[in-house]
Amino acid sequence: MPYREDRLWLQTDAPYELKCETDLALPPEGYRLSCINGVYSVASADEAGKLYGSYALREKILLGETDFSVTSAPAVSERILNHWDNITGVVERGYSGASLFFQNGNISYDPERIRFYARLLASVGINRICFNNVNVTGRSAKLITGELLPDLAALAEIFRPYHIKIIVAVDFNSPVMLGGLPTSDPLDEGVAVWWRAAADMVYAAIPDLAGFLVKADSEFRAGPAALGRTQADGANVIARALKPHGGKTYWRCFVYNCEQDWRDAQTDRPKAAYDHFQPLDGTFDGNVILQIKYGPSDFQVREPNSPLLGAMRNTAQAIELQITQEYTGQQIDLYALAAQWEEIFTSPVSDTRQTRDLVGREIIAVTAVANTGRDENWTGHTLAQANLYAFGRFAWNPAEKAKDVLNDWIGLTFGTEPQLREPLLNMLLTSRDVYEKYNAPLGVCWMVNIHHHYGPSPEGYEFMKWGTYHRASRTSIGVDRTEKGTGYTAQYHPYLDKLYSDPATCPEEMLLYFHRMPYDYILKSGKTILQHIYDTHFEGVEDVENYIATWISMKPLLPDSAYQSVLERLRRQLDNAKEWRDVINTYFYRLTEIPDEKGRMIYP
Ligand code: GCW
């Protein structure tokens, strides 16, 4: 597939005279820019800082900025992109074409495109990448064996000049699968020896490898729990093998019962990560990083921050975001994630009310599932490029503002013309709210079609084994997660427990996440929950219609290919918004038999 770099924020380098200096007083990867008598200069303590400083300078020049006296350093030391690419070439939850790295069971890529990709990622500060899916299937388990290691090392070499280190997703059961051992029990000495030998071999080929990523005891993956061992036992045996080489184990915390009986109202999936991991605080080795999804459910449009974030004083943590739009429109619907990320990074975490603690001592890595593939425009929806760009910016500095980040992305990608920039910024900034309006209401989650997760299905997951229930009846909806219900809120700091436990203080957009409420409960707007549902679902469609009108009005200011492809996506989004509106409104109308106050069309 041919690819384009002329519609990305990083295009051909602008020529300018650049002076580079070493200043050992600057922090690692940081830089200081200046411009004296027309000569730009970048000072840094290391080579990475020089690279990031040059990109930052380039951005400023392209954006027409005049103040170059900037000093910056990353607030987070590991800024990680996780691809969910299978070795077959199919990307799990991928909406941008085939894998950039794999094809037909092999590592296979266009080196020129990959070099450009590495440069693109470095330009926003990303410094770690994992190419293969956390669901390690087929031959991808062999990435750490002599069979595929030379090809992996060659790929790592392309990323090295851009200061991007490689992470490999490995199967916890590798000692059995690859080594032919009778067990993968982490406390078995033979297993520890096997992991050490595997690590030695990988590091001989890729000496600067960042480490191994593991999804264990999760959605049918092997793990220590199945062998009667703890998550810490599992993570530590691998970490000890990596330690002599300076490597780390990135251990995912997405561990829950995915074979729940829907009749069981006490087991509550959002409680799972905290229940499994928090009691183990202090038992993980120093080179284990726990990778925690931002919310306790699963990358939903609206959830509270995971109670596990910040709840472990003695364990290194990474927050995991999802750039690929699995539950957020699949790169058909417009959804600028920056708005949601700003909210996540400024929302309270478990043991504190302060934002900075989320990115302070405990959170040393920010990681996200990639949204790129072999499509010509890299991300399927051209405007979804903004999400990759924004990820880099938020990982570098979680205190960023969505408005600034998106404004820069528009300026770099489409130019700084205000007639284009302002309306487009408005579209991007409102896109999350619009998507939320026509989706599952008030934090209820999971009203999507099963398996593929696009489009509405109010009871699609209701009687399934995945632990995802809203339990809507004729009179009420939602799950009581307070102490009177599943007890989930007790996993938070008492301040948050209290805040979420009272419907009067619980943030309204998450009301049905925490509470079971009657449809006639009156919201702060003065509307009942039911009328709120009807209204937002009508509004969502109108908002998408307005996006289309705005986009059409900007035609003269846009490159034709981007104009056409985005218009096509917006029209598909409109169909989706209408489908959500009609299915959700009809669902609640049939349950309640209460008509819309405004008498609009709801199908009986
Ligand atoms: O949200 C779910 C996805 C799975 C994914 C899993 C995970 C990689 O539907 O496709 O598997 O999360 O995060 O492990």
Side-chain angles (χ1 to χ4, degrees), residues 84 92-93 133-135 215 218-219 252 254 269 293 298-299 320 322 326-327 446 451 453:
W84 282 356
E92 180 156 348
R93 311 302 177 188
N133 190 354
V134 289
N135 289 329
K215 172 177 177 177
S218 169
E219 300 183 333
R252 293 181 88 234
F254 189 51
R269 174 167 160 182
K293 290 192 183 188
D298 189 8
F299 300 138
E320 184 175 301
Q322 194 185 43
E326 177 179 357
Y327 293 97
W446 302 113
H451 304 315
H453 302 158

Side-chain angles (χ1 to χ4, degrees), residues 351-550:
D351 63 345
T352 173
R353 283 179 254 174
Q354 314 245 343
T355 315
R356 73 187 147 73
D357 286 71
L358 182 53
V359 295
R361 193 167 55 85
E362 295 93 353
I363 305 291
I364 65 156
V366 176
T367 152
V369 185
N371 67 344
T372 39
R374 283 194 201 209
D375 276 2
E376 188 197 43
N377 69 353
W378 301 82
T379 51
H381 196 313
T382 298
L383 301 182
Q385 291 171 6
N387 290 333
L388 181 62
Y389 176 84
F391 169 65
R393 290 275 299 261
F394 273 91
W396 182 276
N397 174 18
E400 278 286 9
K401 294 284 164 252
K403 186 168 179 286
D404 299 336
V405 170
L406 295 171
N407 199 35
D408 286 351
W409 177 77
I410 296 167
L412 293 167
T413 310
F414 294 115
T416 53
E417 173 66 58
Q419 277 161 300
L420 176 102
R421 209 175 183 186
E422 283 162 22
L424 185 50
L425 179 61
N426 187 48
M427 277 174 70
L428 293 173
L429 280 174
T430 54
S431 59
R432 187 282 186 104
D433 292 347
V434 169
Y435 190 85
E436 183 176 24
K437 280 186 192 175
Y438 59 80
N439 268 258
L442 300 168
V444 86
C445 305
W446 302 113
M447 287 191 163
V448 286
N449 278 309
I450 59 166
H451 304 315
H452 64 77
H453 302 158
Y454 189 74
S457 178
E459 294 194 341
Y461 275 106
E462 202 50 27
F463 303 99
M464 301 278 284
K465 58 186 180 178
W466 300 95
T468 48
Y469 317 112
H470 55 70
R471 305 186 192 276
S473 76
R474 215 163 44 79
T475 55
S476 46
I477 179 171
V479 174
D480 183 351
R481 298 199 154 102
T482 69
E483 62 174 354
K484 294 195 212 78
T486 69
Y488 164 72
T489 55
Q491 293 185 344
Y492 288 94
H493 182 278
Y495 162 79
L496 284 177
D497 181 2
K498 192 159 165 267
L499 184 96
Y500 293 145
S501 291
D502 182 350
T505 53
C506 176
E508 251 179 10
E509 61 280 5
M510 294 193 286
L511 193 59
L512 300 180
Y513 196 95
F514 288 103
H515 297 277
R516 180 164 186 82
M517 301 299 288
Y519 297 112
D520 58 4
Y521 177 81
I522 308 285
L523 298 170
K524 295 198 178 77
S525 60
K527 294 176 186 179
T528 62
I529 285 182
L530 184 70
Q531 192 57 42
H532 170 89
I533 294 174
Y534 291 156
D535 284 354
T536 49
H537 285 77
F538 283 110
E539 274 167 35
V541 172
E542 287 158 22
D543 291 342
V544 179
E545 282 166 347
N546 289 334
Y547 282 168
I548 294 178
T550 306

